[in-house]
Amino acid sequence: VWLVVCEGELKVISTHDAATPITEAGVTPVLVCDVWEHAYYLDYKNLRKAFLEKWFDGLANWSFAAEQYAAALGKGQAY
């Protein structure tokens, strides 16, 4: 699942089978989280909620996300 900026608005989108919004014109990825079981099953088994709580609190790079968001709004350089 991706958090992206599209036409100045934040949107949550999902992609499948290695698709990515990175190559889409006018779309700036801000943050991504892999929620397929292969991403967390060894550590969390079927506890997706526990994985997402850990991800939001300790793994997501919120500073980078803020920079990407600012860049998408024309206030900085995107990745």
Side-chain angles (χ1 to χ4, degrees):
V1 67
W2 296 81
L3 179 63
V4 300
V5 177
C6 181
E7 299 177 6
E9 293 184 27
L10 280 173
K11 294 183 179 184
V12 176
I13 63 170
S14 63
T15 57
H16 299 279
D17 301 324
T20 176
I22 292 172
T23 57
E24 294 181 27
V27 177
T28 302
V30 174
L31 200 60
V32 64
C33 181
D34 189 346
V35 292
W36 283 46
E37 286 182 347
H38 69 264
Y40 61 85
Y41 193 81
L42 289 176
D43 294 323
Y44 294 91
K45 303 297 183 223
N46 62 346
L47 302 174
R48 182 182 286 179
K49 181 180 183 244
F51 164 71
L52 287 171
E53 288 170 346
K54 178 73 171 184
W55 184 85
F56 270 96
D57 294 339
L59 297 175
N61 187 338
W62 295 108
S63 296
F64 178 76
E67 291 172 9
Q68 289 298 99
Y69 181 61
L73 299 178
K75 302 173 185 173
Q77 182 74 20
Y79 60 90

